[in-house]
Amino acid sequence: MSRPLRSNFEPGTTRWAMRRAQWRAMGLSAEDEVKPKIAIVNSSSGLASCFSHLDGIVAPLKAAIRSAGGVPFEVRTAAPSDAITSAGRAGQYILPSRDLVVHDIEVAVEGAQLDGMVCLASCDKTAPAHLMAAARLDLPTIVLACGYQATGRYRGEHVDFEDIFLRAGHVASGRLTVAELGEMSECAIGGPGVCAGMGTANSMHIACEALGMAMAGSTPVRANGDRMWRAVQAAGTRIVELVTEDVRPRQILTPDAFRNAVTAILAVSGSVNCLKHLQAVAVEAGRDVDIWRLFEELAGDVPLLTGVKPNGDRHVDEFEDAGGTPALLKQLAPLLRLDAPTVTGPRLGELLSDVRVADPEVIRPLEDPLARHPAIVVVRGSLAPDGAIIKRTVADDAPLRFRGPARVFTSREEGLTAIRRGDVRRGEVLVLRGLGLRGSPGMGLTSAFVFALDGAGLGEHVAVITDGQLSGLVNKGLVVGEVAPEAATGGPLGLVEEGDEILVDVPERRVDLLVDEKILAARRDRLPPLVPAVGCGWLDVYAREVGPLTEGATLGGRPPQATADSGG
C-alpha cells in the first residue's frame, strides 16, 4: 500500500512557494518536487573518532537515494561520544544526549515534513536515539550502523579502547605507569568507528538488525569496510522503496521484534544499557512491552553463544567474519519469532533461510553454547523493588552470592578517593548512590569506580551497588547497576546507612537490605525532599521531565499505544 507523499504541498500555497524558492536555489528541479524526500540523519562530530568517517558516507548514500528515485537531504544532530562528552559534569550529559538527538531529529524531519530517513548510527547513544525517533515519528526509516574501529598492538599484544578504559583504573594502584598508559592510548585505535568490543554501540547495532530496523547483514561491520559500503548502497535504494510501499517503523517494531532483540542481546552478552534503550524505543512506539520482564523471562532459555570482549577472548572482527548478526540469528532461530517483518523486505525467517554460519566456534549452536547461565540478570528485592542489573561473563568468575556491611558513597569522586587512600576493605558492599536519573541528574557514569577497584585488586572481594549507569564495556566483579527506584526519589538505596547488611544473591536474582522495616520507615521519614531543578540548561530540563527507568528514561512519559493502523 502507498500513500501520498507528505512532502508534496499543494501548488500555489504559501508552504509550496517558500519551499520551491529555497530548493530551487539549491539546484532542485521541478521533477524533484514530486519525488520522495529522504533525510540522511548525520550524527557527526569532529570531536571523536566514533563519528569521524560519517561525513564521507553522506555523498555515496545521497547518490544511492537519487538513483532509486528519491531526493536526499542531510540533516545534523548532536553527536555525543561517551569517551569525550563524559568529561563534563562527571558524565551526566551522556544519557540525556540520547533524548536530545531524538528531539533534534523531530525538529529537522518533522518540521520539514520529509518522507523517510536513513540514520547514520555510530557511538552508543545514536543508535537508540535513531530508533526512538523512528518510532516516535513513524516514518519509513533504516538505521545504518557505520561500523567499528580498527584496533592496535602494544608491546606485541592486542590493545583496544576497552583496554585503555580498564587500565586507567590501574594507574592509581601502581600496576601501570602513566607513561605506559599514554603509550597504550597512542596505538589502541587504528581508525574511525565505535569501540571494538561488545559494548553499547555494537550491542545496539545488533539489536537494530534483530528488531528488523537495519538491513540484513549490516551489523556489526568494519568502519569503511566492504560490508559497510554495501549496506550504504542497499539502504539508499531500499529507503525509497519503503516510502513508496508505506512501510513504517511501528509495523516493524512489534512485541515479537522486541522479543527477538532481547534474545539476541542475551546470546551475545550485550551491554546492560540495552535494557533502558530498548524500553525507550518500545515507549516511543507505543508498545506495551516490559523489556526488564522480557530479560527475566528469557534469561533461562537463551544460552551464551559467543564471547566477544569484554565477555570473552574473541574480537568483534571474528564475530563479523563468522557471519555477524545473521549467523547469530540463524543459530537462535528455534527461539525467535521468525514471522517478524523487517525493513529489508522479507520476514525474518525468510532472510535466515540461506544464511550460513562461517565459524561455529565463534558463534556457537544452541546445543553447544559457550555457557548456559544468563548473561544479563535482572535482580529485585527490598533494595531494588523495580529491578537492577548484573552482568555475567563467559567464565562467570565473579561471586554469585555476597553478604557484607554497606559502605556508602554519594559521588564517584568520593568513592575513587577512598580507593586511592586504601580505605576500601574486602568484604564490603560499596553503595554508590545519588547518581540516578534525577539525582545526578542524567545518571552519572560509575565505570571509573569499578575499574579502579579492579586496579586495586579489590574487584573480586567487594560488591558494588549503584543507581548510576555503567559503560557497556564494564564486566568486572559483582556489580549491581541501575538500581530502581533511585535514591534521590525515595528509593530504598537512599535509606542505606554505613554498616547495614546487604545480600546479593545472583542465582536467586535478589538484592536485599537486611534491615527491619520499622527502622527503614523511620529513616524514610527523615529523608529530605528532592529539590526540583529550576534552571534552563539541558540537564535541568532533563531532570524535570525524565521518567523512570522502567519507562526507558524517556521524557514526558508514555505516548498513546500504537493503533491497528500503525501495526498495533
Side-chain angles (χ1 to χ4, degrees):
M1 180 181 72
S2 62
R3 61 177 175 177
L5 297 177
R6 66 180 198 157
S7 63
N8 290 350
F9 300 149
E10 183 181 351
T13 62
T14 301
R15 287 193 298 175
W16 172 83
M18 290 192 300
R19 174 166 293 194
R20 201 166 200 260
Q22 289 284 339
W23 286 354
R24 278 293 189 277
M26 295 166 55
L28 274 68
S29 66
E31 291 75 18
D32 290 330
E33 290 181 19
V34 296
K35 295 177 182 179
K37 316 300 186 303
I38 308 299
I40 297 174
V41 177
N42 186 6
S43 298
S44 175
S45 168
L47 284 173
S49 60
C50 324
F51 313 108
S52 60
H53 63 311
L54 297 193
D55 291 350
I57 295 172
V58 174
L61 182 54
K62 281 185 174 181
I65 292 170
R66 288 193 191 97
S67 295
V71 179
F73 295 92
E74 179 188 6
V75 300
R76 299 278 184 147
T77 76
S81 163
D82 282 33
I84 304 297
T85 316
S86 59
R89 296 284 293 269
Q92 291 168 230
Y93 282 109
I94 287 296
L95 181 59
S97 67
R98 179 197 71 177
D99 298 80
L100 184 60
V101 173
V102 178
H103 285 75
D104 276 351
I105 295 171
E106 178 184 351
V107 169
V109 177
E110 190 66 14
Q113 290 286 283
L114 303 181
D115 300 303
M117 55 185 182
V118 178
C119 299
L120 307 186
S122 189
C123 198
D124 295 14
K125 303 306 176 287
T126 56
H130 296 159
L131 288 170
M132 290 167 66
R136 178 185 297 182
L137 303 183
D138 202 26
L139 290 177
T141 300
I142 296 173
V143 179
L144 181 60
C146 295
Y148 57 86
Q149 60 198 205
T151 58
R153 301 191 72 79
Y154 175 67
R155 298 183 179 178
E157 301 291 332
H158 174 275
V159 63
D160 57 29
F161 184 75
E162 178 208 352
D163 295 312
I164 301 300
F165 201 17
L166 170 62
R167 298 297 180 84
H170 293 188
V171 173
S173 65
R175 293 173 63 184
L176 192 76
T177 68
V178 172
E180 287 171 329
L181 183 62
E183 291 172 7
M184 288 180 68
S185 66
E186 290 177 4
C187 57
I189 300 175
V194 303
C195 302
M198 198 55 73
T200 303
N202 278 319
S203 298
M204 283 305 302
H205 292 178
I206 290 169
C208 288
E209 188 169 338
L211 283 168
M213 289 296 295
M215 298 296 291
S218 65
T219 68
V221 294
R222 293 169 174 86
N224 287 336
D226 291 343
R227 285 192 177 97
M228 191 205 78
W229 290 117
R230 288 199 295 272
V232 170
Q233 181 66 42
T237 300
R238 182 58 181 155
I239 189 60
V240 178
E241 296 172 349
L242 291 176
V243 171
T244 302
E245 298 166 9
D246 193 23
V247 178
R248 290 172 282 144
R250 291 192 178 194
Q251 296 166 322
I252 306 291
L253 295 169
T254 64
D256 283 351
F258 286 101
R259 188 181 186 90
N260 289 343
V262 170
T263 301
I265 295 304
L266 283 168
V268 299
S269 190
S271 166
V272 295
N273 292 306
C274 291
L275 280 80
K276 60 176 170 287
H277 294 327
L278 288 172
Q279 188 65 66
V281 178
V283 167
E284 294 285 2
R287 296 296 181 196
D288 187 16
V289 174
D290 187 331
I291 297 296
W292 269 260
R293 293 295 182 187
L294 266 179
F295 270 89
E296 290 175 288
E297 174 189 340
L298 296 174
D301 299 329
V302 182
L304 185 60
L305 300 188
T306 191
V308 175
K309 287 183 69 178
N311 307 308
D313 296 329
R314 298 289 185 179
H315 300 144
V316 71
D317 54 352
E318 295 179 86
F319 182 79
E320 179 189 352
D321 293 343
T325 301
L328 174 74
L329 298 178
K330 180 76 171 185
Q331 302 287 46
L332 288 171
L335 302 180
L336 299 176
R337 303 298 169 88
L338 299 176
D339 197 44
T342 71
V343 294
T344 308
R347 301 276 172 168
L348 179 60
E350 298 173 66
L351 289 175
L352 297 180
S353 60
D354 296 326
V355 169
R356 184 179 68 88
V357 182
D359 190 343
E361 287 298 311
V362 176
I363 303 177
R364 306 288 284 270
L366 278 175
E367 60 273 14
D368 185 27
L370 281 180
R372 295 191 181 277
H373 59 261
I376 297 173
V377 180
V378 175
V379 294
R380 300 179 190 268
S382 62
L383 199 51
D386 293 342
I389 310 168
I390 294 174
K391 182 81 175 286
R392 295 169 72 179
T393 62
V394 175
D396 203 26
D397 48 6
L400 296 180
R401 193 173 187 275
F402 198 102
R403 178 170 176 167
R407 182 79 180 280
V408 180
F409 303 106
T410 56
S411 73
R412 182 179 64 178
E413 288 66 31
E414 184 183 345
L416 289 171
T417 298
I419 296 171
R420 284 192 292 266
R421 290 177 176 172
D423 290 343
V424 174
R425 302 285 182 264
R426 293 187 178 198
E428 292 179 329
V429 179
L430 309 178
V431 174
L432 192 59
R433 70 186 181 199
L435 301 179
L437 295 166
R438 303 280 304 281
S440 269
M443 295 197 87
L445 284 171
T446 57
S447 309
F449 181 74
V450 176
F451 286 143
L453 288 170
D454 179 73
L458 292 167
E460 305 303 320
H461 304 287
V462 297
V464 177
I465 301 179
T466 181
D467 51 8
Q469 68 173 328
L470 301 165
S471 163
L473 295 174
V474 169
N475 209 348
K476 293 289 181 182
L478 181 56
V479 181
V480 183
E482 305 200 354
V483 171
E486 63 176 289
T489 58
L493 201 65
L495 305 179
V496 179
E497 294 185 358
E498 294 273 340
D500 286 349
E501 287 287 307
I502 293 176
L503 172 65
V504 181
D505 193 323
V506 179
E508 294 297 322
R509 302 184 188 181
R510 298 286 304 182
V511 54
D512 289 307
L513 177 59
L514 305 180
V515 175
D516 186 87
E517 180 56 39
K518 290 182 180 179
I519 296 175
L520 294 179
R523 292 180 186 176
R524 191 174 287 111
D525 289 340
R526 298 195 300 268
L527 279 180
L530 178 66
V531 178
V534 296
C536 297
W538 175 238
L539 292 180
D540 298 312
V541 173
Y542 186 86
R544 290 194 294 269
E545 297 295 329
V546 68
L549 277 174
T550 52
E551 295 186 8
T554 53
L555 304 186
R558 284 183 176 267
Q561 290 187 19
T563 64
D565 179 62
S566 61

